[in-house]
Amino acid sequence: MSKKIIALVFAKAEKEIGPSKKTQRAQHISEVLLEDYKFPISERTLRDYYTRFVEKDEENLEPIKPQVIEYLCNYLGYKNYAEFVTAHPSELEVPKVIEEPVIMKDSEPEISDSGRSTSVGFFNQGSSKIVSLLSVVVISVLTYFGFVKEEQNCMVWQEDHYEKSACTGVANEEPYQELVFLNFRKINDLQEVKSRREKHQELWYVKKGGEVEFFSYYHAHPIYHKGLHKVTDYMYKTHVLDKLEE
């Protein structure tokens, strides 16, 4: 379409100033656009458009900016680009459709011309829908019997660890975080707490209602949603060593 507009614009300029060179016509167009439409565009830019789109007919060119197209259409006597397109519908680019050849195997039975259009048309229109429907049915059946599991993008807290879930909105469910899922768990055995401390492994805690809970990784408490604290020497002595000596 850009090529058609540029060609018509330069053809109109030739009618207005008579037979002339490309540069003279481009200069005329530039002056008219500035004086009549208050739109500045250089003679060189217009000349380059003519060279690229009309003379060289280059492929895969970057289209002319919409604002420029609008004013060029004004110059041609149209209110806007839409009106120009309405007046030149044959110039619209129609995408090419590449049809793949149909290869008929020798072993397949011949189909008469009378039945060909009906049967082929039926399968062309309905095959994709049939395949989609069958896919849904098969997946649904497999899911029901446990062969295909629902996508599990969440995790839910279960007593002392997280388990994967399908984001059903149940209590203590949250988006899946792999590091938390693999490393975060509640430590109920004080001997294990002591062992982790001696091995300099991660150890975190939260205190709620006078009770202390220990965890193996940093994360918000899965039920209270409070941030955890790193176990200090004082916390370790008071709530682990002293408890073990009782």
Side-chain angles (χ1 to χ4, degrees):
M1 185 62 77
S2 296
K3 175 182 178 181
K4 179 67 173 182
I5 292 175
I6 293 298
L8 290 175
V9 165
F10 273 76
K12 181 177 180 180
E14 185 173 13
K15 291 180 180 179
E16 293 176 341
I17 64 175
S20 55
K21 294 183 178 180
K22 174 177 57 178
T23 300
Q24 294 172 321
R25 284 179 284 165
Q27 184 62 44
H28 172 73
I29 297 166
S30 176
E31 292 173 355
V32 173
L33 290 176
L34 181 61
E35 293 178 6
D36 295 350
Y37 303 98
K38 310 303 178 185
F39 179 69
I41 184 170
S42 68
E43 165 269 325
R44 181 175 181 179
T45 299
L46 291 166
R47 180 161 41 89
D48 288 344
Y49 285 155
Y50 187 86
T51 301
R52 293 162 54 208
F53 286 93
V54 180
E55 292 182 338
K56 293 185 178 181
D57 194 18
E58 297 177 359
E59 296 182 355
N60 300 321
L61 288 174
E62 181 180 354
I64 301 174
K65 294 181 179 179
Q67 184 183 26
V68 177
I69 289 291
E70 287 290 321
Y71 282 100
L72 292 179
C73 289
N74 294 158
Y75 174 73
L76 291 172
Y78 300 97
K79 293 181 180 180
N80 48 44
Y81 177 66
E83 189 174 278
F84 174 85
V85 171
T86 302
H88 301 81
S90 61
E91 296 300 326
L92 288 174
E93 294 182 1
V94 179
K96 296 181 180 180
V97 178
I98 301 176
E99 297 183 357
E100 297 183 0
V102 179
I103 302 176
M104 302 297 291
K105 297 181 180 180
D106 293 339
S107 58
E108 293 180 352
E110 295 183 358
I111 302 176
S112 63
D113 292 338
S114 59
R116 185 187 305 274
S117 59
T118 302
S119 58
V120 172
F122 170 78
F123 283 106
N124 284 342
Q125 294 176 8
S127 59
S128 60
K129 294 182 180 179
I130 294 174
V131 171
S132 299
L133 180 59
L134 288 176
S135 299
V136 171
V137 172
V138 170
I139 292 175
S140 299
V141 172
L142 291 176
T143 301
Y144 179 80
F145 285 102
F147 293 105
V148 176
K149 295 183 179 179
E150 295 181 69
E151 188 173 0
Q152 297 179 314
N153 293 322
C154 286
M155 56 186 186
V156 62
W157 184 249
Q158 298 290 346
E159 295 186 1
D160 60 357
H161 67 285
Y162 279 107
E163 292 184 2
K164 289 184 179 181
S165 61
C167 303
T168 58
V170 297
N172 304 324
E173 185 180 58
E174 57 187 276
Y176 178 79
Q177 300 177 56
E178 186 170 7
L179 289 177
V180 175
F181 178 79
L182 295 175
N183 301 297
F184 185 84
R185 62 186 179 85
K186 182 180 177 181
I187 306 174
N188 296 311
D189 185 0
L190 290 180
Q191 287 291 350
E192 184 180 352
V193 174
K194 181 181 177 181
S195 176
R196 290 185 67 87
R197 180 73 175 184
E198 292 174 346
K199 294 177 182 178
H200 304 288
Q201 296 177 328
E202 284 196 63
L203 201 57
W204 302 81
Y205 80 95
V206 66
K207 191 173 183 179
K208 182 74 172 178
E211 296 293 327
V212 177
E213 295 180 359
F214 294 96
F215 295 88
S216 61
Y217 193 74
Y218 179 77
H219 187 55
H221 193 283
I223 298 176
Y224 308 138
H225 306 294
K226 293 177 56 178
L228 304 184
H229 304 282
K230 199 169 186 65
V231 173
T232 63
D233 291 338
Y234 175 79
M235 172 60 65
Y236 176 65
K237 180 181 182 305
T238 304
H239 293 278
V240 179
L241 295 181
D242 289 354
K243 291 289 185 181
L244 287 173
E245 291 177 358
E246 291 179 356

